[in-house]
Amino acid sequence: MKLKEREFWFVVGSQHLYGPETLEQVRDHAREMARAINRSSRIPCRFIYKDTVKTNDEVVALVKAANNSDKCCGIVAWCHTFSPSKLWINGLGLLQKPYCHFATQYNRSIPDKEIDMDFMNLNQAAHGDREHGYIHARMRLPRKIIMGYWKDADVLNELGKWMRSAVGAVESRNLKVCRFGDNMRNVAVTEGDKVGTQIQLGWQVNTWAVGDLVKEMAAVCDAEVDELVAQYKELYDINTKNMQSVRYQAREEIAIRRMLEREGAGAFTNTFEDLYGMEQLPGLATQRLMADGYGFGAEGDWKVAAMDRVIKLMTEGMGGGSAFMEDYTYNLDKGGEYSLGAHMLEVDPSIAADKPRIECHHLGIGMNEKDPARLVFTGKAGKGVVASLIEMGGGLRLIVQDIEAITPPLQMPNLPVARVTWVAKPNLKDGAKLWILAGGAHHTVLSFDADAQMLADWAELMGIEFVHIGKDTTYEGLKQQLALGELIRKLS
Ligand code: MN
């Protein structure tokens, strides 16, 4: 489902005390606001005025309808007037969709001449939103609070970004990850509790034999391969004479895509240690699937594969790009420190700064009989984040670090893979130290679209620990935060 097909329901709290005329005005104002908000380019999904709720039964009915709607990804509530919040308790107790408390006001200014007691009774969001906030706090309801005037760009931006986080939370409950084979032997960080993660996040993570994929590849006919290779020639520079290898990757792409579509999976993994029956690790094939929005994790890393998919869904249409990434090596020249990220083949061309070229090179790692084809390119520059989800035993931790990607200062003519370079916040030396302290993995999702706030909101909706490393993060501060996280984990 595209973002524009998803709905957020604008629900206005009130009561019968004010009489029908006031309630009609409340409804008209809310409709006007919803129409304007829905038209804003900052709002990625449909924003619909749903109802003005005045009784316990109305709130219960509305929450049940939201829970049952596949399109509804959240409720945005506001109190134009006062709405006694005991009316909301039973409904909110049933709530299964993301919830935003939009503390706004129909009028921007207090009108000097016009203001009287009727005006005050109609426009008392300052009053009503406090009663509403109390009941959320009392019920420990996970919720986003946005405060500000509904026409302001910063307010609409905040609302739009929260909607994206909410879509990520709703889609997590539907996400299937297809693992081709297991994860790389002896690696710790790619392991995890699949049952615990499904309970917490909804991700369905299951394994398919590599042999099933090999069978699927054998069923791909030559004409289909011809057609796909013709597309490659249009999209990329062909910098190889080894068209047999390129054709082999096309066959892999078609077969993997077919299996993912059949299973309804949004993400997949594989490992170079388990390619039995295949001539080469999917490189170009995987890169193409990632560019089409599939999440991917190498070495069987299903957590990063799923995170990649969730972030791609959340950031649809933003245009910056999000990619599976691996920290590879550092440049530690004083004053010119940066990280070089890449992978053995599978770097997502969504973040390419130049036209990718197809090349074939020997891959010395794993069971690769032939030189696998891959897309080689340079990553773009700009502000972004890297995100890593790790299993702490008894719970997950999402670590997000702010980064500044830079144009690679070196040509690196003998590096046979796509490359991305960046400087972590607060700086490489402290940033890497903080990342290591938090336990962040070498596999991440690098995103030019998602920011720390969007991912923090997603983590809160999923009920998992969140760690942000930014320009102001200190070693001592982070240590304290992690200790607090441990305490909460032990108590819960
Ligand atoms: Mn790796």
Side-chain angles (χ1 to χ4, degrees), residues 44 87 110-111 120 172 207 250 443 470:
L87 302 178
I110 296 175
M120 291 248 280
S172 282
T207 304
H443 285 168

Side-chain angles (χ1 to χ4, degrees), residues 299 326 343 443:
E299 290 94 50
E326 177 168 286
H343 206 263
H443 285 168

